[in-house]
Amino acid sequence: MDYAATILSKLPGANRRNHGVRRLVETLQSYLPEEQLAEITAAYEFGAEAHAGQKRKTGEAYITHPVAVAQELADMHLDAQAITAAILHDTVEDTEASLDDIAERFGSEVALLVDGVSKLDQIKFRSRAEAQAESFRKMMLAMIEDIRVILVKLADRLHNMQTLGAMPADKKRRIARETLDIYAPIANRLGINRLKVQLEDLGFKHLHPFRYRVLETALKKSQGSQKQIVKKISEEFGTAMADEGIAGEVVGRQKHLYSIYNKMAEKKRLLSDIVDVYGFRIICDDVNSCYQTLGIVHGLYKPMPGRFKDYIAIPRINGYQSLHTTLFGPKGLPLEVQIRTRDMDRLAESGVASHWIYKADEKSDATPQRRTREWLSNLEELHQSGTSEEFLESVKVDLFPDKIYVFTPKGDIMPLPKGATTVDFAYAVHTDVGDRCVSAKINRGLVPLRTELQNSQTVEIITARGAKPNPNWLTFVRTAKARTAIRQHMKNLRSFESVDLGKRLLDRSLKDIGSSLRKVGKVRMAEALTELRLDDNTELFEQVGLGQRLAPLTARFLTGMGNEEDKGNTASLIISGTEGMVISYGKCCYPIPGDDVMGYLTAGRGVVIHRNQCGNLSNFRKQPEKWISVHWEKDIDRDFFCQIQTDTRNKPGVLAEVAATIGDCGSNIEQVEVLGRHEDCSVLSFLLLVKDRVHLAKIMRSVRNMKNVIRVSRDCA
Ligand code: MN
């Protein structure tokens, strides 16, 4: 059945459009089975209808563009899904069609490909710096889960470059620059030479139209005059091979304008040195024939010393395999000859795409990632010798990245580890930005600071003067930079607080023995500091505050009194609940204002307050010098954690009732735990926030009066 005829008969309109489809269908017919062709045909009809009425800048119907993109991929013999996605690649962006429509008609995989291409279209390259271009390429590769997305995108860009003629000059230059900076290097990285070469030449043409024309003219001229010689030598090679019984194809090789331009610019060589070289490519059936052919051409013309390269035995890093040699041709003109097999030729042209080439016998269960890995592992196999692993590593990292790439509001690209949050971003911008950040916007919308970032988002950090890092951030930040900065800040804060506490502790201990800081005086203090090898009294206070130096001993040391006059700690430390991190409250007994409490000095952590009933107080006898007497300030206005236990009857809704009662008493429940469940009763434990003992008593009384509550008690370890 002639599909081309069937499809074309259905389509009204311009011949040119039909022409594009005819060629595409003919190409597809040559390698795809009928049913897949039918699917692609349906996609064409879908796309043509969706784009109906839209025109390209060139004046052609819009559908000619996706058809041309599909043609490029069909020339590489890519699979039906990639071709279908190519035909539909602009429908979601530019027409009424939705992704769901596509998923329904053509399957979720095609829809994923179209979605991937649309997403790549949404990110815009904004700056031209070299490093930025590199990051941008990485970001594009990081965004895609299926390498076919980038194949469609490269083919899309290629056709857009081919039809750039109708654009204003400055826009052309911008697109050309972007093509050279971003797309051609991606094609190169993926080993797709045929796309790379075309993208480069077109980019060069529109970026430097004048230089391009000069080179093009010069090259045409030299090729015109070379034509006869190239033909003659090609025939000579072919005959010699045939004489030896070697099948092969000899072609005169086209020069790639952009590479000539680069050679001239980089190596400062004259145009004539580069273009006056005759290029040949010989494609053989197998590797043996390649080496035999090499012998034949070396027999015909003398090889130039040092120019022979065996890339078959030692492939280039992107998988390229070929024999290269340069010969002294007629009149001493150099002849560059490449010899390789058909397979090597295909791999050299298509790179990673060669793994998406349709194969009739294939059981297609390979995931996109697996195929890409296959290509990479092929490269690795070729490079058992271990040369230039760096390139391979970098490709691998680009294709299977552990990084995401996001934009600053100015358009700079910031690489961050996967899972990084807005706070990591803030610290990556600058430590000051991180320290003072209060909120964040992603793509202009406010988000919580703990929000994980995704590829290509634009992130903006809002800072406030006097804002401080929050220790809670440590629970979600991913980068070492953010973590270190937050810890550093907390350390500074703690050191500030501990100086204050240490001073109070020391003064209190001095008063115990009838002295005070004032009575000790500057002279004695300076003396003592020298003996203790400390820089100043701040350092001393900090050490005391952090519990690294015990206040009573330090007090005796300062006053020159011995240990013998121990009167015990009589004056006690007043705690107000506002000391910050140097005073903390035991999670074993949850002391609250009104409880009888003691403080335990912990080296490096300051004072931990425990209730006198707390089991931990049993250490007191072992280390009495570490325990200090404390008591509460009179009017403390803050909440403290406190734990209560209830025995309740197993009735529906009883937990909610207890919670409501607690809430009514003006307390927040931080945590509920079911400690035990018996036949008709359950033991529940609540972690509450309360003001003091009076407040707690009120809560317990209310709960105890409830119908389904049997018992209420305060936990105490
Ligand atoms: Mn397009």
Side-chain angles (χ1 to χ4, degrees):
M1 184 170 175
D2 185 356
Y3 271 92
T6 318
I7 294 163
L8 297 172
S9 67
K10 285 184 192 165
L11 303 166
N15 277 336
R16 210 181 334 179
R17 181 172 66 185
N18 291 357
H19 203 74
V21 188
R22 171 170 291 139
R23 221 188 103 205
L24 176 61
V25 172
E26 277 164 7
T27 310
L28 295 171
Q29 248 176 344
S30 72
Y31 74 95
L32 286 183
E34 259 182 40
E35 70 274 11
Q36 294 190 2
L37 235 153
E39 189 76 358
I40 295 171
T41 308
Y44 172 76
E45 285 177 54
F46 182 94
E49 196 179 313
H51 287 296
Q54 294 176 348
K55 289 240 184 306
R56 294 280 289 174
K57 280 246 160 57
T58 53
E60 290 175 292
Y62 196 91
I63 191 69
T64 55
H65 164 64
V67 166
V69 174
Q71 179 69 50
E72 186 63 37
L73 300 180
D75 288 342
M76 287 196 264
H77 287 205
L78 283 202
D79 65 8
Q81 286 175 332
I83 306 289
T84 311
I87 291 176
L88 300 173
H89 81 270
D90 277 330
T91 53
V92 174
E93 276 289 276
D94 299 343
T95 77
E96 302 279 295
S98 77
L99 217 52
D100 288 340
D101 294 341
I102 291 173
E104 200 179 304
R105 302 269 309 258
F106 305 104
S108 57
E109 231 176 299
V110 170
L112 276 177
L113 293 175
V114 172
D115 189 39
V117 179
S118 310
K119 279 194 180 127
L120 286 189
D121 283 336
Q122 280 158 15
I123 59 169
K124 293 273 177 287
F125 183 60
R126 279 171 273 194
S127 148
R128 238 204 69 191
E130 188 103 1
Q132 185 81 356
E134 174 71 24
S135 301
F136 198 84
R137 292 198 291 269
K138 285 185 176 166
M139 175 160 71
M140 290 193 88
L141 290 171
M143 276 180 68
I144 54 164
E145 270 157 36
D146 189 327
I147 203 81
R148 286 175 294 180
V149 167
I150 211 82
L151 299 180
V152 174
K153 187 66 211 164
L154 290 172
D156 176 42
R157 174 51 63 118
L158 178 59
H159 185 247
N160 284 338
M161 291 299 291
Q162 285 162 345
T163 51
L164 211 52
M167 296 257 180
D170 61 328
K171 205 169 173 192
K172 269 195 232 179
R173 265 198 304 277
R174 187 185 59 74
I175 296 174
R177 168 54 72 187
E178 191 182 85
T179 301
L180 289 175
D181 282 350
I182 310 292
Y183 292 95
I186 288 181
N188 182 43
R189 191 149 261 203
L190 298 175
I192 316 167
N193 194 51
R194 55 182 294 152
L195 291 180
K196 178 203 135 187
V197 166
Q198 295 183 78
L199 287 169
E200 282 184 346
D201 275 356
L202 287 164
F204 175 41
K205 178 178 174 180
H206 291 290
L207 189 64
H208 301 299
F210 182 69
R211 290 175 226 185
Y212 182 89
R213 264 201 306 278
V214 170
L215 268 188
E216 194 187 29
T217 313
L219 192 67
K220 268 206 186 116
K221 215 164 116 196
S222 80
Q223 272 171 347
S225 59
Q226 286 175 2
K227 224 176 192 167
Q228 282 309 312
I229 307 174
V230 169
K231 191 166 172 249
K232 195 178 138 261
I233 293 173
S234 296
E235 282 166 5
E236 203 178 338
F237 285 162
T239 315
M241 286 165 69
D243 286 349
E244 298 287 329
I246 298 166
E249 186 190 342
V250 186
V251 286
R253 196 156 47 87
Q254 270 288 9
K255 287 273 164 48
H256 170 199
L257 276 177
Y258 189 61
S259 76
I260 295 175
Y261 172 67
N262 270 345
K263 270 185 198 157
M264 289 172 67
E266 279 165 25
K267 299 188 180 166
K268 307 254 180 295
R269 286 168 64 183
L270 291 170
L271 178 63
S272 57
D273 288 348
I274 299 167
V275 295
D276 288 346
V277 172
Y278 297 65
F280 299 90
R281 179 171 301 154
I282 305 176
I283 310 289
C284 299
D285 284 348
D286 53 50
V287 173
N288 269 342
S289 310
C290 291
Y291 286 104
Q292 279 175 291
T293 303
L294 179 74
I296 291 166
V297 300
H298 278 185
L300 288 171
Y301 295 99
K302 213 178 239 323
M304 227 178 252
R307 296 294 297 272
F308 168 64
K309 298 261 160 48
D310 187 347
Y311 292 119
I312 289 182
I314 303 167
R316 276 190 188 153
I317 193 68
N318 60 5
Y320 176 85
Q321 286 186 291
S322 199
L323 299 174
H324 285 192
T325 186
T326 305
L327 312 167
F328 290 106
K331 292 180 199 155
L333 285 171
L335 315 177
E336 280 182 1
V337 184
Q338 301 177 346
I339 306 166
R340 58 205 194 208
T341 67
R342 219 162 287 284
D343 281 349
M344 291 171 186
D345 195 46
R346 192 155 48 225
L347 193 77
E349 290 300 299
S350 304
V352 71
S354 62
H355 280 261
W356 288 103
I357 286 170
Y358 173 79
K359 295 183 197 96
D361 53 353
E362 193 170 56
K363 296 175 275 327
S364 177
D365 59 348
T367 63
Q369 287 85 348
R370 225 172 78 200
R371 298 225 201 195
T372 312
R373 279 183 208 278
E374 260 169 39
W375 173 65
L376 279 170
S377 73
N378 267 16
L379 290 191
E380 266 169 289
E381 255 167 52
L382 288 173
H383 289 280
Q384 290 291 326
S385 52
T387 46
S388 48
E389 272 167 33
E390 235 169 87
F391 173 89
L392 203 55
E393 276 309 309
S394 68
V395 180
K396 229 190 279 182
V397 167
D398 285 357
L399 291 175
F400 303 103
D402 50 7
K403 282 202 166 87
I404 56 157
Y405 298 85
V406 295
F407 289 109
T408 68
K410 282 186 189 154
D412 292 331
I413 295 175
M414 187 77 77
L416 289 166
K418 265 187 184 163
T421 62
T422 62
V423 174
D424 292 295
F425 175 88
Y427 277 105
V429 173
H430 196 280
T431 309
D432 285 347
V433 176
D435 280 346
R436 291 185 295 125
C437 77
V438 288
S439 59
K441 286 181 178 177
I442 290 179
N443 299 337
R444 300 219 181 103
L446 271 175
V447 296
L449 283 175
R450 64 183 318 127
T451 309
E452 271 189 25
L453 301 175
Q454 308 293 327
N455 260 312
S456 81
Q457 287 174 329
T458 300
V459 187
E460 190 184 342
I461 296 298
I462 297 145
T463 59
R465 201 180 303 228
K468 289 181 186 130
N470 183 334
N472 281 339
W473 294 350
L474 285 172
T475 60
F476 59 75
V477 294
R478 284 290 162 91
T479 53
K481 190 174 183 197
R483 188 163 297 137
T484 313
I486 298 165
R487 289 219 175 105
Q488 185 57 43
H489 178 88
M490 285 166 64
K491 211 170 133 199
N492 293 343
L493 184 68
R494 198 174 62 179
S495 125
F496 176 77
E497 288 170 346
S498 50
V499 168
D500 187 54
L501 174 71
K503 196 172 173 188
R504 285 164 62 197
L505 285 171
L506 194 55
D507 203 36
R508 182 197 59 119
S509 290
L510 283 165
K511 281 180 179 140
D512 281 351
I513 51 176
S515 180
S516 71
L517 275 173
R518 207 158 46 85
K519 281 185 193 162
V520 168
K522 278 187 191 151
V523 178
R524 171 60 198 146
M525 181 59 94
E527 233 175 64
L529 288 173
T530 315
E531 276 179 67
L532 296 171
R533 292 165 202 245
L534 297 175
D535 289 339
D536 51 21
N537 54 8
T538 312
E539 210 178 332
L540 177 66
F541 297 150
E542 185 179 346
Q543 290 187 351
V544 173
L546 287 173
Q548 283 156 347
R549 204 175 275 283
L550 296 172
L553 296 179
T554 312
R556 277 181 221 116
F557 175 75
L558 284 174
T559 53
M561 294 166 102
N563 278 340
E564 67 282 357
E565 283 181 56
D566 191 352
K567 288 192 276 173
N569 300 332
T570 49
S572 79
L573 177 74
I574 298 171
I575 47 174
S576 62
T578 55
E579 288 83 359
M581 282 177 279
V582 283
I583 289 193
S584 55
Y585 301 87
K587 289 202 167 84
C588 40
C589 57
Y590 291 108
I592 56 173
D595 288 335
D596 291 331
V597 285
M598 288 284 276
Y600 181 72
L601 270 168
T602 316
R605 281 181 48 209
V607 180
V608 183
I609 308 296
H610 293 273
R611 285 162 67 194
N612 284 1
Q613 294 101 309
C614 178
N616 278 323
L617 243 70
S618 58
N619 301 330
F620 178 76
R621 262 179 227 115
K622 287 178 227 154
Q623 294 173 301
E625 73 282 359
K626 289 205 168 178
W627 288 93
I628 54 174
S629 86
V630 295
H631 69 261
W632 301 96
E633 177 108 53
K634 271 220 173 59
D635 300 305
I636 297 177
D637 188 27
R638 60 156 275 195
D639 289 334
F640 292 83
F641 282 115
C642 178
Q643 206 159 32
I644 61 167
Q645 259 184 41
T646 62
D647 294 3
T648 56
R649 290 193 180 84
N650 289 338
K651 290 272 161 60
V654 66
L655 177 61
E657 283 168 22
V658 176
T661 306
I662 291 172
D664 287 346
C665 296
S667 168
N668 270 332
I669 300 173
E670 284 292 309
Q671 212 175 294
V672 185
E673 210 182 330
V674 179
L675 296 180
R677 204 174 158 83
H678 313 291
E679 210 167 308
D680 53 354
C681 111
S682 295
V683 183
L684 304 174
S685 166
F686 294 85
L687 185 63
L688 310 174
L689 279 166
V690 303
K691 299 234 169 294
D692 50 24
R693 276 180 78 88
V694 178
H695 186 196
L696 177 66
K698 182 182 155 204
I699 295 167
M700 288 175 68
R701 196 163 48 240
S702 305
V703 173
R704 193 174 291 128
N705 287 339
M706 292 174 65
K707 186 166 85 232
N708 289 320
V709 174
I710 306 159
R711 206 177 65 92
V712 184
S713 64
R714 182 170 177 198
D715 288 347
C716 187

